[in-house]
Amino acid sequence: MKTQILLLGDEALALGALNAGLSGAYAYPGTPSTEIMEFIQMNPLTKERGIHCHWSSNEKTAVEEALGMSYAGKRSLASMKHVGVNVAADPLLNSAMTGANGGMLVIAADDPSMHSSQNEQDSRFYADFAMLPMLEPSSQQEAYEMAKYGFQLSEHYRIPVMLRMVTRLAHSRGNVTVDAEAEPENTLSDVANPRQWVLMPGNSRVRYKQLINDYADLTAESEKSPFNTFTDAPDHSLGIVVSGVANNYYRELWKDGKSPWPMVKISQYPLPADMLRNLVETCDEVLVIEEGQPFIEQHMRGVLNSNPKIHGRLDGYLPRTGELDPESVRLGVLKLRPSTPGLEKEETQPVPEVVVARPPALCKGCGHRDVYAALNESIESYPHARVFGDIGCYTLGYLAPFRAIHTVLDMGASITMAKGASEAGVHPAIAIIGDSTFTHSGMTGLLDAVNEDSDILVIISDNLTTGMTGGQDSQGTGKLEEICLGLGVNPEHLHTIDSLPKNHNDMVELFRNEIDHHGLSVVISRRECIQTARRSKK
Amino acid sequence: MKCDIILAGVGGQGILTIATIIGKAALKSNMNIRQAEVHGMSQRGGDVQSDLRISTSEIFSDLIPKGEADVIVSMEPMEALRYLPRLSPQGWVVTNTTPFINVTDYPETSLLDAELDKLPRVVKLDIDRIAKDLGAPRSANIVLLGALTPFIHLPKEALEEAVAAHFARKGETVVAQNIAAFRYGYERAEKNTPDNL
């Protein structure tokens, strides 16, 4: 029996995985991937079956844990935002070498246009690099169906399958027809080729050749995939390639979604070369419309760019950066085929000049505010002070009114960049990092600083949660002092203070004292996130 | 039948509740729905926006094409104006008039008012005050949902049911308050519907 419900793309994917017999989900929160794990955590089936759904410390541990479950024969997934794949890149690329036993999905949620991210890297390059198959749903329904399909593909070829979401699918609701019953979970099973799971050079060399052979089979699989389609049309003066959600923006242009030109839709990789070759050979020109970086277009052009009839983001028909939308796709098609019937539109009204920008800001009552207010005052007398920021709500300290941080790179980089700058001669060099980011990737950097007694002040602004993504459990809650002591921070220079307005003067003094200490100092400033505090009161 | 709605506001104002209730009503009426939301950084007091599309036929894009929105509904007057390029030439703006001022260069409200008055089809309501007068200050967004209802081609009854279902968990008093808020908004806006122009 099937029923129809309304789900976010993330939720549809999560439910698809649950209904396909998922045994364990592993993830670190990150926009736009967070709701995948949250949906699994809230689903009654998870409790009933005891499906693993605890947050991991970071994306690397998540992928390794998921691979362990796959090794044991059960179906697992690891989900993360696109930049999380960088953190998980080591186990991800090597999991192509070990292969999978139980079906395993690695879900990367890309954020083109950087709605809530520091770059717009496209995870399809990772799949290509690792030689892993990848699925890229174009709708909530496909996201649901691809979970099961992905597990089957993974088990058939004994390899993890990547699945690429993008913000506009992850965070968009749509009608999804779902199964009423979930399939049973896999039972424990031994791996088919035990040698392959020990990546010593001798084993790896054998396996690598096998992987290359399998990749050819996976390409053949893409050619016949139900998710990769060719739709012919009479006018071969132009051919269209769309992938993922770009399919929707393109079809939106036409009545009933019917393209006047032949169209290849790609939602499964490796790229189906024959499908693409056929389109290029039978059409005068080809427009490639894809969300994110020009992955397909680049592959089709090749480094020699010897086929001038291919168009897309690289030759200016579509914007080189940012996410697509129906308007940019319309303008791209119109640029290539001016005066196409149905594509002309009248000008709309502009945004009135009176409208001003409304940038995000730290909430009223947020402890990060008190930390920045005190920090700014404590370094007033040091014109060369540099504050190294990190990833989280407190990144907003860069904006007015605080304008308090000078760098933001990636998870954990505040501590290590401060250390490097201090070694170059910067004083004071101050790192500010949130509790969840600290346990994600800050601890190893802090150990470096301990070992050299680096002249830096590390402020761990602890709000007892993973705030930016909506308040998920933080893995270091209640343990931060012990973690710092365990790593070897000198107890005399490890301090904890409640980041409250009434403690402003004490915080200023504490920061000043620790700046004057020419060695490693850690201050844990603590106050529960105002958002989670409000929710728990309700 | 197809209706494209842009919901606008400031992070935390409750536009997603409006979207959720319309979504429920539309699903019950066997419609196709797409609703793109914004999560993450902008929810921290920045401008937020959601595209909601309902249709009896297949919907392709999760985003409403430029110049094709049938209605902009906004919890905040400046935010109503931000999305005007996306409004259809025949489209309506339904907006709250109480400003949410969290930036230092927020414009004079009289200037915003003048811009709104230039629009050929606009419904302006002080939903904050209306909700307070109704004794339900937390239901301002439901007043706005009521005011939006004449423009979205879903039966009023279906939306009222969805409002009741949404708040059922919170008890009869809260349901009654929200139904009253919904009806008040509906009646105020109905006087401005296309049929009555």
Side-chain angles (χ1 to χ4, degrees), chain A residues 263-318:
Chain A
M263 183 177 110
V264 168
K265 177 213 163 218
I266 293 176
S267 279
Q268 182 172 338
Y269 305 78
L271 283 170
D274 289 347
M275 279 179 101
L276 293 172
R277 187 178 300 112
N278 178 53
L279 188 77
V280 171
E281 284 173 357
T282 57
C283 296
D284 300 340
E285 288 178 291
V286 170
L287 178 65
V288 184
I289 311 171
E290 56 192 318
E291 186 64 295
Q293 295 178 311
F295 174 83
I296 299 173
E297 189 184 347
Q298 214 165 297
H299 271 79
M300 287 178 74
R301 286 172 185 274
V303 69
L304 299 180
N305 201 12
S306 54
N307 194 335
K309 65 191 224 173
I310 293 164
H311 306 291
R313 285 187 186 262
L314 288 171
D315 61 356
Y317 284 90
L318 293 163

Short mmCIF file of all heavy atoms in Angstrom, two decimals, chain A residues 263-318:
data_model
loop_
_atom_site.label_atom_id
_atom_site.label_comp_id
_atom_site.label_asym_id
_atom_site.label_seq_id
_atom_site.Cartn_x
_atom_site.Cartn_y
_atom_site.Cartn_z
N MET A 263 16.44 15.95 -25.12
CA MET A 263 16.96 16.25 -23.79
C MET A 263 17.48 14.99 -23.11
O MET A 263 16.83 13.96 -23.12
CB MET A 263 15.80 16.83 -22.98
CG MET A 263 16.15 17.27 -21.60
SD MET A 263 14.70 18.02 -20.82
CE MET A 263 14.32 16.78 -19.62
N VAL A 264 18.68 15.09 -22.56
CA VAL A 264 19.20 14.01 -21.71
C VAL A 264 19.16 14.51 -20.28
O VAL A 264 19.67 15.58 -19.96
CB VAL A 264 20.65 13.65 -22.10
CG1 VAL A 264 21.28 12.74 -21.03
CG2 VAL A 264 20.70 12.95 -23.46
N LYS A 265 18.52 13.73 -19.42
CA LYS A 265 18.49 14.07 -17.99
C LYS A 265 19.40 13.10 -17.25
O LYS A 265 19.28 11.88 -17.40
CB LYS A 265 17.06 13.95 -17.45
CG LYS A 265 16.97 14.22 -15.96
CD LYS A 265 15.87 13.38 -15.34
CE LYS A 265 16.03 13.31 -13.83
NZ LYS A 265 15.70 12.00 -13.29
N ILE A 266 20.31 13.65 -16.48
CA ILE A 266 21.27 12.80 -15.75
C ILE A 266 21.04 12.89 -14.26
O ILE A 266 21.02 13.97 -13.68
CB ILE A 266 22.71 13.22 -16.10
CG1 ILE A 266 22.97 12.88 -17.57
CG2 ILE A 266 23.72 12.49 -15.21
CD1 ILE A 266 24.30 13.32 -18.09
N SER A 267 20.84 11.72 -13.65
CA SER A 267 20.72 11.66 -12.19
C SER A 267 21.54 10.52 -11.63
O SER A 267 21.42 10.18 -10.45
CB SER A 267 19.25 11.50 -11.77
OG SER A 267 18.59 12.75 -11.80
N GLN A 268 22.33 9.86 -12.48
CA GLN A 268 23.21 8.80 -11.99
C GLN A 268 24.55 8.90 -12.69
O GLN A 268 24.62 9.05 -13.91
CB GLN A 268 22.58 7.42 -12.21
CG GLN A 268 23.46 6.28 -11.67
CD GLN A 268 22.79 4.91 -11.69
OE1 GLN A 268 21.56 4.83 -11.72
NE2 GLN A 268 23.58 3.87 -11.68
N TYR A 269 25.62 8.79 -11.89
CA TYR A 269 26.99 8.87 -12.37
C TYR A 269 27.70 7.58 -12.00
O TYR A 269 27.31 6.95 -11.03
CB TYR A 269 27.72 10.05 -11.72
CG TYR A 269 27.03 11.38 -11.91
CD1 TYR A 269 25.92 11.73 -11.13
CD2 TYR A 269 27.49 12.29 -12.84
CE1 TYR A 269 25.30 12.97 -11.30
CE2 TYR A 269 26.87 13.54 -13.00
CZ TYR A 269 25.78 13.86 -12.23
OH TYR A 269 25.17 15.08 -12.39
N PRO A 270 28.78 7.15 -12.71
CA PRO A 270 29.56 7.90 -13.70
C PRO A 270 28.71 8.33 -14.89
O PRO A 270 27.68 7.72 -15.19
CB PRO A 270 30.63 6.88 -14.14
CG PRO A 270 30.46 5.67 -13.29
CD PRO A 270 29.24 5.79 -12.50
N LEU A 271 29.18 9.37 -15.56
CA LEU A 271 28.43 9.91 -16.68
C LEU A 271 28.16 8.85 -17.74
O LEU A 271 29.06 8.11 -18.12
CB LEU A 271 29.21 11.07 -17.31
CG LEU A 271 29.18 12.38 -16.54
CD1 LEU A 271 30.18 13.36 -17.13
CD2 LEU A 271 27.77 12.98 -16.54
N PRO A 272 26.92 8.78 -18.23
CA PRO A 272 26.58 7.85 -19.29
C PRO A 272 27.11 8.39 -20.64
O PRO A 272 26.42 9.13 -21.34
CB PRO A 272 25.05 7.81 -19.26
CG PRO A 272 24.65 9.13 -18.68
CD PRO A 272 25.77 9.60 -17.80
N ALA A 273 28.33 8.00 -20.97
CA ALA A 273 29.02 8.60 -22.11
C ALA A 273 28.27 8.38 -23.43
O ALA A 273 28.18 9.29 -24.26
CB ALA A 273 30.44 8.04 -22.21
N ASP A 274 27.70 7.19 -23.60
CA ASP A 274 27.01 6.91 -24.87
C ASP A 274 25.78 7.80 -25.05
O ASP A 274 25.52 8.30 -26.15
CB ASP A 274 26.58 5.44 -24.93
CG ASP A 274 27.80 4.53 -25.11
OD1 ASP A 274 28.90 5.05 -25.42
OD2 ASP A 274 27.66 3.31 -24.90
N MET A 275 25.05 8.00 -23.98
CA MET A 275 23.87 8.88 -24.05
C MET A 275 24.28 10.29 -24.47
O MET A 275 23.63 10.92 -25.30
CB MET A 275 23.18 8.99 -22.68
CG MET A 275 22.27 7.84 -22.33
SD MET A 275 21.58 8.09 -20.68
CE MET A 275 19.96 8.68 -21.11
N LEU A 276 25.36 10.76 -23.88
CA LEU A 276 25.83 12.12 -24.18
C LEU A 276 26.37 12.19 -25.60
O LEU A 276 26.10 13.15 -26.34
CB LEU A 276 26.89 12.55 -23.16
CG LEU A 276 26.37 12.73 -21.73
CD1 LEU A 276 27.53 12.95 -20.76
CD2 LEU A 276 25.37 13.88 -21.65
N ARG A 277 27.13 11.16 -25.99
CA ARG A 277 27.70 11.16 -27.34
C ARG A 277 26.60 11.17 -28.39
O ARG A 277 26.64 11.93 -29.36
CB ARG A 277 28.60 9.92 -27.52
CG ARG A 277 29.38 9.93 -28.84
CD ARG A 277 30.30 8.72 -28.97
NE ARG A 277 31.27 8.68 -27.89
CZ ARG A 277 31.29 7.77 -26.92
NH1 ARG A 277 30.38 6.81 -26.89
NH2 ARG A 277 32.21 7.81 -26.00
N ASN A 278 25.59 10.38 -28.15
CA ASN A 278 24.46 10.31 -29.06
C ASN A 278 23.79 11.68 -29.23
O ASN A 278 23.46 12.10 -30.34
CB ASN A 278 23.45 9.27 -28.56
CG ASN A 278 22.24 9.19 -29.46
OD1 ASN A 278 22.37 9.02 -30.68
ND2 ASN A 278 21.07 9.35 -28.88
N LEU A 279 23.65 12.39 -28.12
CA LEU A 279 23.02 13.72 -28.18
C LEU A 279 23.89 14.69 -28.97
O LEU A 279 23.40 15.42 -29.84
CB LEU A 279 22.78 14.26 -26.76
CG LEU A 279 21.95 15.54 -26.69
CD1 LEU A 279 20.47 15.24 -26.89
CD2 LEU A 279 22.16 16.28 -25.37
N VAL A 280 25.19 14.69 -28.67
CA VAL A 280 26.11 15.62 -29.33
C VAL A 280 26.15 15.32 -30.83
O VAL A 280 26.16 16.24 -31.66
CB VAL A 280 27.52 15.52 -28.71
CG1 VAL A 280 28.53 16.31 -29.53
CG2 VAL A 280 27.50 16.02 -27.28
N GLU A 281 26.14 14.04 -31.20
CA GLU A 281 26.25 13.68 -32.61
C GLU A 281 24.99 13.96 -33.41
O GLU A 281 25.05 14.13 -34.63
CB GLU A 281 26.64 12.19 -32.74
CG GLU A 281 28.12 11.98 -32.41
CD GLU A 281 28.52 10.51 -32.36
OE1 GLU A 281 27.63 9.63 -32.51
OE2 GLU A 281 29.73 10.25 -32.14
N THR A 282 23.84 14.02 -32.72
CA THR A 282 22.59 14.21 -33.48
C THR A 282 22.02 15.61 -33.36
O THR A 282 20.97 15.90 -33.92
CB THR A 282 21.51 13.20 -33.02
OG1 THR A 282 21.31 13.38 -31.61
CG2 THR A 282 21.93 11.77 -33.29
N CYS A 283 22.70 16.49 -32.61
CA CYS A 283 22.20 17.86 -32.47
C CYS A 283 23.27 18.85 -32.94
O CYS A 283 24.46 18.59 -32.83
CB CYS A 283 21.84 18.16 -31.01
SG CYS A 283 20.48 17.14 -30.41
N ASP A 284 22.81 20.00 -33.46
CA ASP A 284 23.76 21.00 -33.95
C ASP A 284 24.57 21.61 -32.82
O ASP A 284 25.76 21.87 -32.96
CB ASP A 284 23.01 22.12 -34.70
CG ASP A 284 22.24 21.57 -35.89
OD1 ASP A 284 22.59 20.45 -36.34
OD2 ASP A 284 21.29 22.23 -36.36
N GLU A 285 23.90 21.89 -31.72
CA GLU A 285 24.56 22.47 -30.54
C GLU A 285 23.97 21.82 -29.30
O GLU A 285 22.88 21.26 -29.35
CB GLU A 285 24.29 23.98 -30.46
CG GLU A 285 25.02 24.81 -31.48
CD GLU A 285 24.65 26.28 -31.34
OE1 GLU A 285 23.49 26.63 -31.64
OE2 GLU A 285 25.51 27.05 -30.91
N VAL A 286 24.71 21.93 -28.18
CA VAL A 286 24.21 21.34 -26.93
C VAL A 286 24.37 22.35 -25.80
O VAL A 286 25.42 22.98 -25.66
CB VAL A 286 24.96 20.03 -26.59
CG1 VAL A 286 24.61 19.56 -25.18
CG2 VAL A 286 24.64 18.94 -27.60
N LEU A 287 23.30 22.53 -25.01
CA LEU A 287 23.37 23.38 -23.82
C LEU A 287 23.33 22.48 -22.58
O LEU A 287 22.42 21.67 -22.43
CB LEU A 287 22.19 24.36 -23.80
CG LEU A 287 22.09 25.29 -22.58
CD1 LEU A 287 23.28 26.25 -22.51
CD2 LEU A 287 20.77 26.07 -22.61
N VAL A 288 24.34 22.63 -21.72
CA VAL A 288 24.41 21.82 -20.50
C VAL A 288 23.95 22.67 -19.32
O VAL A 288 24.52 23.72 -19.05
CB VAL A 288 25.85 21.33 -20.24
CG1 VAL A 288 25.88 20.40 -19.02
CG2 VAL A 288 26.41 20.62 -21.46
N ILE A 289 22.89 22.20 -18.66
CA ILE A 289 22.32 22.95 -17.54
C ILE A 289 22.45 22.08 -16.29
O ILE A 289 21.80 21.04 -16.18
CB ILE A 289 20.83 23.28 -17.80
CG1 ILE A 289 20.65 23.89 -19.20
CG2 ILE A 289 20.30 24.23 -16.74
CD1 ILE A 289 19.19 24.04 -19.62
N GLU A 290 23.32 22.49 -15.38
CA GLU A 290 23.54 21.68 -14.18
C GLU A 290 23.70 22.58 -12.97
O GLU A 290 24.24 23.68 -13.07
CB GLU A 290 24.77 20.78 -14.35
CG GLU A 290 26.05 21.54 -14.69
CD GLU A 290 27.20 20.64 -15.14
OE1 GLU A 290 27.38 19.58 -14.52
OE2 GLU A 290 27.89 21.01 -16.09
N GLU A 291 23.22 22.09 -11.82
CA GLU A 291 23.32 22.86 -10.58
C GLU A 291 24.69 22.66 -9.98
O GLU A 291 25.17 21.53 -9.87
CB GLU A 291 22.23 22.38 -9.61
CG GLU A 291 22.13 23.21 -8.35
CD GLU A 291 21.70 24.65 -8.62
OE1 GLU A 291 22.47 25.37 -9.28
OE2 GLU A 291 20.61 25.03 -8.16
N GLY A 292 25.33 23.77 -9.61
CA GLY A 292 26.65 23.68 -9.00
C GLY A 292 27.74 24.00 -10.00
O GLY A 292 27.54 24.82 -10.91
N GLN A 293 28.89 23.38 -9.83
CA GLN A 293 30.01 23.65 -10.73
C GLN A 293 29.81 22.90 -12.05
O GLN A 293 29.07 21.93 -12.11
CB GLN A 293 31.31 23.23 -10.04
CG GLN A 293 31.59 24.09 -8.81
CD GLN A 293 32.85 23.69 -8.06
OE1 GLN A 293 33.06 22.52 -7.76
NE2 GLN A 293 33.69 24.65 -7.76
N PRO A 294 30.45 23.37 -13.13
CA PRO A 294 30.21 22.76 -14.45
C PRO A 294 30.91 21.41 -14.61
O PRO A 294 31.84 21.27 -15.38
CB PRO A 294 30.78 23.80 -15.42
CG PRO A 294 31.74 24.60 -14.63
CD PRO A 294 31.33 24.56 -13.21
N PHE A 295 30.42 20.41 -13.89
CA PHE A 295 31.05 19.09 -13.89
C PHE A 295 30.83 18.35 -15.21
O PHE A 295 31.77 17.90 -15.86
CB PHE A 295 30.47 18.27 -12.72
CG PHE A 295 30.93 16.84 -12.70
CD1 PHE A 295 32.14 16.49 -12.14
CD2 PHE A 295 30.13 15.83 -13.24
CE1 PHE A 295 32.57 15.17 -12.12
CE2 PHE A 295 30.55 14.51 -13.22
CZ PHE A 295 31.77 14.18 -12.66
N ILE A 296 29.57 18.28 -15.63
CA ILE A 296 29.25 17.56 -16.86
C ILE A 296 29.84 18.31 -18.06
O ILE A 296 30.46 17.73 -18.95
CB ILE A 296 27.72 17.41 -17.04
CG1 ILE A 296 27.12 16.62 -15.88
CG2 ILE A 296 27.39 16.75 -18.37
CD1 ILE A 296 25.60 16.56 -15.89
N GLU A 297 29.66 19.63 -18.01
CA GLU A 297 30.13 20.46 -19.12
C GLU A 297 31.65 20.31 -19.30
O GLU A 297 32.15 20.14 -20.42
CB GLU A 297 29.77 21.92 -18.84
CG GLU A 297 30.03 22.84 -20.02
CD GLU A 297 29.75 24.30 -19.68
OE1 GLU A 297 29.13 24.58 -18.63
OE2 GLU A 297 30.16 25.17 -20.46
N GLN A 298 32.36 20.34 -18.20
CA GLN A 298 33.82 20.21 -18.25
C GLN A 298 34.23 18.85 -18.81
O GLN A 298 35.13 18.75 -19.63
CB GLN A 298 34.36 20.36 -16.83
CG GLN A 298 35.69 21.03 -16.73
CD GLN A 298 35.97 21.46 -15.29
OE1 GLN A 298 35.25 22.29 -14.73
NE2 GLN A 298 36.96 20.88 -14.68
N HIS A 299 33.53 17.81 -18.39
CA HIS A 299 33.83 16.47 -18.91
C HIS A 299 33.54 16.39 -20.40
O HIS A 299 34.27 15.77 -21.15
CB HIS A 299 33.03 15.41 -18.16
CG HIS A 299 33.74 14.90 -16.95
ND1 HIS A 299 33.78 15.59 -15.77
CD2 HIS A 299 34.47 13.78 -16.75
CE1 HIS A 299 34.49 14.91 -14.89
NE2 HIS A 299 34.92 13.81 -15.46
N MET A 300 32.43 16.98 -20.82
CA MET A 300 32.06 16.90 -22.23
C MET A 300 33.04 17.69 -23.10
O MET A 300 33.37 17.29 -24.21
CB MET A 300 30.63 17.40 -22.44
CG MET A 300 29.59 16.40 -21.91
SD MET A 300 27.89 16.99 -22.08
CE MET A 300 27.64 16.82 -23.85
N ARG A 301 33.48 18.84 -22.60
CA ARG A 301 34.42 19.65 -23.37
C ARG A 301 35.81 19.03 -23.41
O ARG A 301 36.48 19.07 -24.43
CB ARG A 301 34.56 21.04 -22.73
CG ARG A 301 33.39 21.97 -22.94
CD ARG A 301 33.60 23.22 -22.09
NE ARG A 301 32.47 24.12 -22.15
CZ ARG A 301 32.32 25.04 -23.11
NH1 ARG A 301 33.21 25.18 -24.05
NH2 ARG A 301 31.25 25.81 -23.11
N GLY A 302 36.24 18.52 -22.27
CA GLY A 302 37.61 18.03 -22.17
C GLY A 302 38.57 19.19 -22.13
O GLY A 302 38.19 20.34 -22.41
N VAL A 303 39.82 18.91 -21.83
CA VAL A 303 40.78 19.99 -21.65
C VAL A 303 41.07 20.69 -22.99
O VAL A 303 41.39 21.87 -23.03
CB VAL A 303 42.06 19.47 -20.97
CG1 VAL A 303 42.85 18.54 -21.88
CG2 VAL A 303 42.93 20.62 -20.50
N LEU A 304 40.91 20.00 -24.09
CA LEU A 304 41.20 20.61 -25.39
C LEU A 304 40.06 21.48 -25.90
O LEU A 304 40.22 22.26 -26.82
CB LEU A 304 41.52 19.52 -26.42
CG LEU A 304 42.73 18.66 -26.08
CD1 LEU A 304 42.96 17.62 -27.17
CD2 LEU A 304 43.98 19.51 -25.89
N ASN A 305 38.91 21.31 -25.28
CA ASN A 305 37.74 22.11 -25.66
C ASN A 305 37.54 22.09 -27.18
O ASN A 305 37.29 23.12 -27.80
CB ASN A 305 37.91 23.55 -25.17
CG ASN A 305 36.57 24.27 -25.08
OD1 ASN A 305 35.52 23.64 -25.17
ND2 ASN A 305 36.61 25.57 -24.91
N SER A 306 37.69 20.91 -27.77
CA SER A 306 37.69 20.81 -29.23
C SER A 306 36.29 20.75 -29.82
O SER A 306 36.12 20.70 -31.02
CB SER A 306 38.49 19.58 -29.66
OG SER A 306 37.97 18.45 -28.98
N ASN A 307 35.28 20.75 -28.96
CA ASN A 307 33.92 20.70 -29.48
C ASN A 307 33.20 22.01 -29.16
O ASN A 307 32.59 22.15 -28.11
CB ASN A 307 33.17 19.51 -28.88
CG ASN A 307 31.90 19.23 -29.65
OD1 ASN A 307 31.35 20.13 -30.30
ND2 ASN A 307 31.44 18.01 -29.59
N PRO A 308 33.29 22.99 -30.07
CA PRO A 308 32.77 24.32 -29.76
C PRO A 308 31.26 24.38 -29.68
O PRO A 308 30.69 25.41 -29.34
CB PRO A 308 33.29 25.16 -30.94
CG PRO A 308 33.44 24.20 -32.06
CD PRO A 308 33.83 22.89 -31.44
N LYS A 309 30.59 23.29 -29.98
CA LYS A 309 29.13 23.38 -29.96
C LYS A 309 28.53 23.12 -28.58
O LYS A 309 27.32 23.13 -28.42
CB LYS A 309 28.53 22.44 -31.00
CG LYS A 309 28.77 20.97 -30.76
CD LYS A 309 28.37 20.21 -32.00
CE LYS A 309 27.57 18.96 -31.66
NZ LYS A 309 27.04 18.32 -32.86
N ILE A 310 29.38 22.90 -27.58
CA ILE A 310 28.86 22.69 -26.22
C ILE A 310 28.84 24.01 -25.46
O ILE A 310 29.82 24.75 -25.44
CB ILE A 310 29.72 21.63 -25.49
CG1 ILE A 310 29.50 20.28 -26.17
CG2 ILE A 310 29.36 21.54 -24.01
CD1 ILE A 310 30.52 19.24 -25.83
N HIS A 311 27.69 24.30 -24.87
CA HIS A 311 27.52 25.57 -24.15
C HIS A 311 27.04 25.32 -22.73
O HIS A 311 26.49 24.27 -22.44
CB HIS A 311 26.49 26.45 -24.87
CG HIS A 311 26.80 26.68 -26.31
ND1 HIS A 311 27.87 27.44 -26.73
CD2 HIS A 311 26.20 26.19 -27.43
CE1 HIS A 311 27.90 27.44 -28.06
NE2 HIS A 311 26.90 26.69 -28.51
N GLY A 312 27.23 26.32 -21.89
CA GLY A 312 26.77 26.20 -20.50
C GLY A 312 27.36 27.29 -19.64
O GLY A 312 27.44 28.45 -20.05
N ARG A 313 27.80 26.89 -18.46
CA ARG A 313 28.33 27.87 -17.51
C ARG A 313 29.71 28.36 -17.91
O ARG A 313 30.12 29.45 -17.52
CB ARG A 313 28.44 27.24 -16.12
CG ARG A 313 27.10 27.06 -15.38
CD ARG A 313 27.39 26.59 -13.97
NE ARG A 313 26.23 26.25 -13.15
CZ ARG A 313 25.68 27.07 -12.26
NH1 ARG A 313 26.12 28.30 -12.10
NH2 ARG A 313 24.67 26.66 -11.53
N LEU A 314 30.45 27.55 -18.69
CA LEU A 314 31.84 27.91 -18.97
C LEU A 314 31.98 28.93 -20.09
O LEU A 314 33.02 29.57 -20.22
CB LEU A 314 32.66 26.66 -19.31
CG LEU A 314 32.94 25.73 -18.12
CD1 LEU A 314 33.57 24.42 -18.58
CD2 LEU A 314 33.84 26.41 -17.10
N ASP A 315 30.96 29.09 -20.93
CA ASP A 315 31.08 30.10 -21.98
C ASP A 315 30.02 31.20 -21.82
O ASP A 315 29.68 31.90 -22.78
CB ASP A 315 31.04 29.48 -23.38
CG ASP A 315 29.73 28.75 -23.66
OD1 ASP A 315 28.89 28.66 -22.74
OD2 ASP A 315 29.56 28.27 -24.79
N GLY A 316 29.49 31.34 -20.61
CA GLY A 316 28.68 32.51 -20.29
C GLY A 316 27.21 32.43 -20.66
O GLY A 316 26.49 33.41 -20.48
N TYR A 317 26.74 31.30 -21.18
CA TYR A 317 25.30 31.21 -21.45
C TYR A 317 24.52 31.10 -20.14
O TYR A 317 23.40 31.57 -20.03
CB TYR A 317 24.99 30.05 -22.39
CG TYR A 317 25.35 30.41 -23.81
CD1 TYR A 317 26.62 30.14 -24.33
CD2 TYR A 317 24.44 31.08 -24.62
CE1 TYR A 317 26.96 30.51 -25.61
CE2 TYR A 317 24.77 31.47 -25.91
CZ TYR A 317 26.03 31.18 -26.40
OH TYR A 317 26.38 31.57 -27.67
N LEU A 318 25.15 30.44 -19.18
CA LEU A 318 24.56 30.38 -17.84
C LEU A 318 25.56 31.00 -16.87
O LEU A 318 26.76 31.04 -17.16
CB LEU A 318 24.29 28.91 -17.46
CG LEU A 318 23.20 28.23 -18.30
CD1 LEU A 318 23.28 26.72 -18.17
CD2 LEU A 318 21.81 28.73 -17.89
#
